[in-house]
Amino acid sequence: MVTPDRGCQFALGRHQLRELVPDEISQLKNQGNHAEDWSRLRVIDDFDAATVYGSRFIGDVFLGRFAKPLTIDQTQLPSGIYNSTLAQCVVGDNALVQDVRMLSNVVVGADAILLNCGSVACTAQTTFGNGIQIPVGIETGGREVAVFAEIDVELAAWVARCRAAPELLQAYQAAVDEYVAQASSEVGIISPGAMLRDTPQIRNCYIGPYAQIEGATLVADSTLLSSQDEPVQLQSGAYIDRSIIQWGSHVTTMAIVDTSVLTEHSHAERHGKVTATILGPNSGVAEGEATSCLLGPFVGFHHQALLIAVFWPEGKGNVGYGANVGSNHTSKAPDQEFWPGEGTFLGLGVNIKFPADFSRAPYSIVATGVNTLPQRISFPFSLINSPAHQIPDLSPAFNQIIPAWLLTDNMYTLKRNEAKYQSRNKATRTEFDFRVLRPHTIDLMQDARRRLTDVTPVKQVYTDRDIDGLGKNYMLETSRQAAIDAYQFYIEYYALMGLSNAVNEVMAGGIDCDVEGLLCTPTERQPWEHQRQILHDQFHFTDVVGALQRLPAMLEKIARDVQQSKAKDDHRGARIIDDYSQVHSSAEDDKFVQQTWSQTRQQLDELNQLIGQLASA
């Protein structure tokens, strides 16, 4: 039963409620209204009966004052109750309920709009989708995550990985259970400023402030966290069931979200299907299908493709059209999984066979049409391509791997990704490190370099029998040498950039150390200590100026590599399409290439000035 202490304070604040007076009842009847018992219709003191027409009231219904018009599609409509049926409800000040066939067991906040809807109801005790177990990573279970409205990808990934610590899982489950108990409700909630329009069924939902539901087919047993600045939008045939939709997210154009979480500023659209999945910030599923996945931030999934049982909390990757990342059957049960790793690019029409783990090979590319075998790959920035050679005594199912290929041949993509993700970020509650080269990535590169360097004997072709981490692929000796050089170059570059920053901090008084002692003085400041150890222990630098003098040439090389990797498209395109140069910008005119050179020149000016100051000191 709706009671004043259950819903009225939320919708009506401190207003005092009273019974209708005889003149108000008479006026309401004359305006086509009906009630089973007029004494159970309560209103605030300055209620105006002229704002209620053609409606039916069942049970306890509490109404505010409807004195302010609301704007819909640039048209002002008066607030109030019109041509609707209300049962056991609270309707706040200046809300509009018009042409709603059944509004039942729901509290409607101030300034909310309910227009042309079928059933908006709470049919039983509900937790609004909180507490459901989502089987991420493995369809048949094993990495289930109990979710709550504010959950984020980092916490979900921790829970999914935490199988070896049952006491921690029990503590987490107890916290979720307590949350669910507090969230449990006998009434649905429609928060102030929300708009529900042209939707046949909204059931057992918490609708956050300023959320917009327009033309959805169903919204049921779900939570919509929303705000005026970051409204949730469910539109154009969207179907949402037993799910949590966080701030700024949207589901549109016949997309389905079932038993899932869309974290802040994520989306599903164009018939996309999101089932038993946690979708990270700024990620989206359009046309394709994601089932039993944990997808981190910035995953581009905007074509017909399939992801099943993918554990990808690092995100920052792309899924091409026709990618089949769901071969999780061993003909026994759908109990296998795939860990792509940060920045992985899954090309057009690839087939990824499970189990597979690329998590130690961030920013790798699986090229168009490649079929991969079950495997573990541990070489960052790799290209996995169809075999270009016939290797005696090697299975034709093995592909070719080129470690560090993005560093040697596609720096444009890596540098552009950093800028792209930063410019596209809309999330306000999640912190991101947009740098590709950071301590974790560098550690993986150092380990990869060691395994490539330590190999004996030297051969023309290598497999995972020779070098751990190559997976079910072969690698040529030329690729090994190029990868060692590339890893070495970028490890040094990363560390020298840290030295440059540290020198500036010393000169600004941020680090209590003299410049001459920087390379030899351990510190607790990260990531500088990580970078200092690389420079001192691996590269044996002791002279700060001498070390910094290596950096300008490296900055220029990286900028040239960015332009040259883009220029490859120009050369190839011109050979194939006659007027290619007339309709495509050249690499030197590319906006990102120009931006890269501009930033590089600024870095060079600042660095040369810094080196000059140190040399003259």
Side-chain angles (χ1 to χ4, degrees):
M1 178 182 294
V2 176
T3 60
D5 62 347
R6 185 66 174 169
C8 288
Q9 187 170 359
F10 173 83
L12 300 173
R14 298 182 180 275
H15 286 311
Q16 296 296 315
L17 290 166
R18 62 172 175 81
E19 293 186 4
L20 295 167
V21 299
D23 286 348
E24 289 174 324
I25 295 173
S26 177
Q27 181 179 356
L28 289 170
K29 288 181 177 179
N30 290 337
Q31 292 167 184
N33 299 291
H34 303 271
E36 291 181 334
D37 183 347
W38 287 107
S39 69
R40 297 180 71 179
L41 180 63
R42 302 293 184 92
V43 297
I44 66 172
D45 283 339
D46 52 356
F47 168 77
D48 183 359
T51 57
V52 179
Y53 272 83
S55 296
R56 182 181 181 189
F57 301 95
I58 302 170
D60 295 309
V61 177
F62 308 113
L63 304 179
R65 182 170 186 265
F66 309 117
K68 183 180 72 174
L70 298 167
T71 301
I72 304 173
D73 295 339
Q74 300 183 337
T75 299
Q76 283 195 338
L77 295 178
S79 56
I81 313 294
Y82 307 100
N83 303 319
S84 300
T85 297
L86 283 69
Q88 301 293 125
C89 292
V90 180
V91 181
D93 289 348
N94 300 313
L96 170 62
V97 179
Q98 179 173 326
D99 297 318
V100 177
R101 284 190 288 177
M102 174 60 74
L103 180 66
S104 175
N105 292 317
V106 174
V107 176
V108 179
D111 301 301
I113 297 172
L114 285 72
L115 178 64
N116 192 32
C117 292
S119 172
V120 182
C122 184
T123 59
Q125 189 87 8
T126 179
T127 62
F128 306 121
N130 291 284
I132 61 174
Q133 297 276 346
I134 298 183
V136 301
I138 307 173
E139 271 192 284
T140 54
R143 299 191 186 279
E144 300 91 342
V145 177
V147 300
F148 60 98
E150 294 86 359
I151 194 170
D152 59 28
V153 167
E154 183 178 4
L155 178 58
W158 177 84
V159 174
R161 290 189 182 109
C162 201
R163 303 297 120 168
E167 68 285 355
L168 294 178
L169 284 178
Q170 291 171 5
Y172 173 78
Q173 186 63 56
V176 172
D177 290 344
E178 181 179 353
Y179 184 104
V180 169
Q182 294 183 16
S184 180
S185 176
E186 297 176 357
V187 297
I189 304 293
I190 300 172
S191 298
M195 181 168 69
L196 287 59
R197 179 179 176 184
D198 302 324
T199 299
Q201 189 171 179
I202 300 170
R203 183 179 70 245
N204 302 341
C205 288
Y206 171 85
I207 311 296
Y210 298 93
Q212 300 173 17
I213 303 177
E214 299 184 66
T217 58
L218 172 73
V219 185
D221 298 289
S222 296
T223 292
L224 276 59
L225 297 181
S226 185
S227 69
Q228 187 169 11
D229 293 332
E230 300 171 288
V232 166
Q233 297 178 323
L234 312 180
Q235 300 169 322
S236 304
Y239 176 103
I240 296 91
D241 188 23
R242 299 183 73 228
S243 295
I244 292 167
I245 314 295
Q246 293 186 358
W247 308 271
S249 296
H250 63 265
V251 184
T252 66
T253 50
M254 306 296 289
I256 296 173
V257 178
D258 183 11
T259 319
S260 295
V261 176
L262 269 58
T263 64
E264 57 175 330
H265 292 280
S266 57
H267 64 272
E269 60 190 18
R270 302 201 315 270
H271 298 268
K273 299 177 183 178
V274 182
T275 305
T277 288
I278 299 175
L279 188 60
N282 306 296
S283 289
V285 177
E287 300 184 21
E289 174 184 346
T291 298
S292 291
C293 294
L294 175 57
L295 305 181
F298 301 102
V299 172
F301 186 8
H302 298 139
H303 306 282
Q304 291 183 3
L306 175 68
L307 296 183
I308 296 180
V310 173
F311 187 74
W312 199 356
E314 306 88 350
K316 297 182 181 176
N318 191 78
V319 183
Y321 177 88
N324 171 28
V325 189
S327 303
N328 61 334
H329 279 269
T330 58
S331 76
K332 306 176 186 72
D335 59 354
Q336 302 301 301
E337 56 191 311
F338 173 42
W339 294 33
E342 181 178 326
T344 297
F345 187 105
L346 301 170
L348 299 171
V350 305
N351 289 285
I352 308 295
K353 296 182 180 179
F354 292 14
D357 182 3
F358 298 176
S359 61
R360 295 179 63 83
Y363 294 95
S364 291
I365 292 178
V366 182
T368 295
V370 168
N371 299 326
T372 65
L373 295 170
Q375 60 187 301
R376 178 175 61 86
I377 297 174
S378 303
F379 287 95
F381 308 105
S382 291
L383 172 66
I384 302 166
N385 208 348
S386 300
H389 312 81
Q390 291 184 345
I391 309 298
D393 302 322
L394 187 66
S395 168
F398 272 45
N399 294 304
Q400 182 178 4
I401 185 170
I402 306 176
W405 181 84
L406 274 82
L407 300 176
T408 59
D409 287 73
N410 202 358
M411 183 50 62
Y412 180 94
T413 293
L414 284 177
K415 296 293 286 185
R416 182 174 176 270
N417 278 349
E418 288 183 327
K420 177 178 68 176
Y421 296 140
Q422 190 164 5
S423 66
R424 294 181 182 179
N425 178 39
K426 296 180 180 179
T428 60
R429 296 161 185 81
T430 308
E431 293 186 2
F432 302 105
D433 189 342
F434 295 103
R435 297 171 302 163
V436 171
L437 299 179
R438 59 184 193 275
H440 174 67
T441 316
I442 294 296
D443 288 343
L444 294 176
M445 292 166 65
Q446 292 189 92
D447 179 61
R449 179 190 59 181
R450 177 190 57 77
R451 283 179 282 117
L452 291 173
T453 303
D454 291 349
V455 64
T456 54
V458 173
K459 303 167 61 175
Q460 292 306 304
V461 179
Y462 302 92
T463 69
D464 58 350
R465 292 191 296 266
D466 306 303
I467 303 175
D468 182 50
L470 288 178
K472 300 301 181 182
N473 308 284
Y474 71 87
M475 180 188 68
L476 300 179
E477 168 61 12
T478 52
S479 297
R480 183 182 77 91
Q481 291 292 345
I484 292 172
D485 293 342
Y487 288 144
Q488 184 87 348
F489 177 90
Y490 279 98
I491 291 167
E492 182 183 358
Y493 163 75
Y494 154 82
L496 288 174
M497 288 296 292
L499 175 61
S500 174
N501 293 333
V503 170
N504 280 312
E505 287 192 59
V506 168
M507 298 179 71
I511 295 181
D512 186 17
C513 175
D514 57 38
V515 170
E516 291 79 5
L518 266 178
L519 290 169
C520 302
T521 306
T523 176
E524 294 183 358
R525 296 174 67 92
Q526 294 294 350
W528 164 234
E529 177 59 18
H530 185 257
Q531 294 161 322
R532 187 199 69 80
Q533 289 180 11
I534 292 173
L535 293 173
H536 184 268
D537 299 346
Q538 295 183 34
F539 291 94
H540 308 296
F541 287 124
T542 57
D543 176 22
V544 170
V545 174
L548 287 178
Q549 286 174 336
R550 294 180 57 82
L551 196 49
M554 301 179 88
L555 288 169
E556 289 187 353
K557 178 187 183 310
I558 292 170
R560 283 196 305 272
D561 287 350
V562 168
Q563 180 170 336
Q564 288 172 3
S565 64
K566 184 67 173 69
K568 292 178 183 177
D569 296 342
D570 299 342
H571 303 321
R572 180 182 56 198
R575 291 195 306 268
I576 297 171
I577 298 175
D578 290 339
D579 65 348
Y580 187 92
S581 60
Q582 278 73 51
V583 296
H584 294 82
S585 298
S586 66
E588 62 183 12
D589 294 329
D590 179 85
K591 290 183 179 180
F592 181 72
V593 171
Q594 292 179 340
Q595 178 184 336
T596 298
W597 275 114
S598 176
Q599 293 174 346
T600 299
R601 293 185 185 100
Q602 181 178 348
Q603 287 177 307
L604 288 170
D605 289 343
E606 294 171 354
L607 183 59
N608 288 327
Q609 183 178 358
L610 179 63
I611 293 172
Q613 289 177 323
L614 294 176
S616 62

